[in-house]
Amino acid sequence: GQNIDQPTEMTATEGAIVQINCTYQTSGFNGLFWYQQHAGEAPTFLSYNVLDGLEEKGRFSSFLSRSKGYSYLLLKELQMKDSASYLCAVRGPGGYQKVTFGTGTKLQVIP
Amino acid sequence: DGGITQSPKYLFRKEGQNVTLSCEQNLNHDAMYWYRQDPGQGLRLIYYSQIVNDFQKGDIAEGYSVSREKKESFPLTVTSAQKNPTAFYLCASSAGDRVNEQYFGPGTRLTVT
C-alpha cells in the first residue's frame, strides 16, 4: 500500500517563498505528482518527478528524494492567486500504475 | 477547446434514488477515472477504465457502477446501496504517455437527503 503525509495548512506572505513538504511510504514507486486545487474546483497538474533532483517550472519547483521518500513543492514570489490546496500524489508500480493522493495542504497567502 | 466536461455542477437527490453523473472528454485519452473527494480527505478512486469496454474497481467501488461504451464517455451511477453518497465527484482522463498526468473535469457536487 501507499501512505502520503502533508501538512494540513500553511500560511505565507505575498511575495515570499514557501515550501510544501510531502513524505510517502510505498511498496513501489513510479513517479510523484503535484496538483493545485482552488476551492470548489478541479485539481490542475503542476509537476512530475520520477528521478531524484529538482524540476523547475517558472515560479514553481518540485524536488524528489526517492531514498528518503520525500518531496517538496517550492513556490516563489507568492501571489494572492496561489491561495489553494496543493495535492501530492504518488504513482505505484504495475500495469495500471495507480495514483494515490495525499489529503492536500491548504495554503493561504496573506498581504 | 479540448477538455473534460461534467454535468451537472450541482445535483440533489432523495435517499433511495439512483443517480447518474455524466463525464465526457474530447482529449482522445484512453484512460478515464472517477474519484470522490470529502472534506479533510484526499481523492479516493472509485473506478477507472484504461480502454473502451473495460473498467476496473478502485478503492471504494461499493455502491457505484460505471460503463465505458465510448472512448469519450465514462458515466458514473451512484446507487441506493452507497451508504454516504453526498460528496464532490471528480472525473479525470489521461493519455497513457510517460508522464500520464490526469486532467480533471470541473466536478459534480452531489447532495443526497
Side-chain angles (χ1 to χ4, degrees):
Chain A
Q2 291 167 324
N3 187 44
I4 300 172
D5 289 309
Q6 306 178 234
T8 304
E9 295 181 345
M10 298 182 71
T11 301
T13 305
E14 190 177 14
I17 300 172
V18 70
Q19 178 175 312
I20 302 174
N21 296 325
C22 171
T23 57
Y24 62 90
Q25 296 90 40
T26 179
S27 55
F29 179 83
N30 201 12
L32 185 143
F33 299 86
W34 283 96
Y35 286 84
Q36 180 190 61
Q37 185 179 25
H38 286 98
E41 297 183 9
T44 55
F45 170 72
L46 289 178
S47 68
Y48 170 72
N49 295 70
V50 67
L51 299 176
D52 291 350
L54 188 68
E55 294 278 344
E56 297 188 76
K57 193 185 291 186
R59 293 190 298 115
F60 292 11
S61 303
S62 57
F63 172 84
L64 176 67
S65 169
R66 288 172 295 170
S67 62
K68 295 181 179 176
Y70 169 67
S71 173
Y72 67 72
L73 180 69
L74 193 71
L75 290 74
K76 303 175 186 174
E77 301 170 14
L78 278 173
Q79 302 175 9
M80 299 300 290
K81 67 178 182 179
D82 296 329
S83 293
S85 288
Y86 292 86
L87 312 179
C88 173
V90 173
R91 182 160 67 198
Y96 161 58
Q97 300 181 347
K98 177 188 170 183
V99 175
T100 300
F101 285 82
T103 55
T105 298
K106 186 175 181 180
L107 173 66
Q108 183 181 15
V109 180
I110 58 175
Chain B
D1 284 331
I4 302 179
T5 57
Q6 291 183 244
S7 61
K9 191 167 179 64
Y10 298 95
L11 190 55
F12 298 88
R13 279 294 182 270
K14 294 290 187 185
E15 198 172 313
Q17 293 179 333
N18 291 356
V19 60
T20 297
L21 311 185
S22 165
C23 178
E24 304 278 332
Q25 56 99 0
N26 61 3
L27 298 168
N28 200 33
H29 286 171
D30 284 318
M32 297 187 74
Y33 316 81
W34 274 105
Y35 295 90
R36 69 176 277 169
Q37 188 174 35
D38 297 281
Q41 297 200 41
L43 275 67
R44 291 185 291 167
L45 182 65
I46 304 172
Y47 267 97
Y48 64 95
S49 168
Q50 293 182 272
I51 199 167
V52 174
N53 292 322
D54 184 59
F55 49 83
Q56 305 294 330
K57 292 182 179 180
D59 298 321
I60 55 166
E62 186 175 348
Y64 299 98
S65 65
V66 294
S67 63
R68 186 85 188 276
E69 297 175 2
K70 298 187 300 181
K71 188 175 186 177
E72 302 79 19
S73 179
F74 192 41
L76 173 75
T77 297
V78 185
T79 75
S80 56
Q82 167 50 231
K83 301 299 181 195
N84 297 294
T86 295
F88 187 46
Y89 289 88
L90 287 160
C91 178
S93 69
S94 66
D97 57 12
R98 182 187 71 86
V99 176
N100 203 31
E101 73 271 28
Q102 295 182 20
Y103 293 78
F104 287 84
T108 292
R109 191 166 296 279
L110 174 65
T111 302
V112 177
T113 58

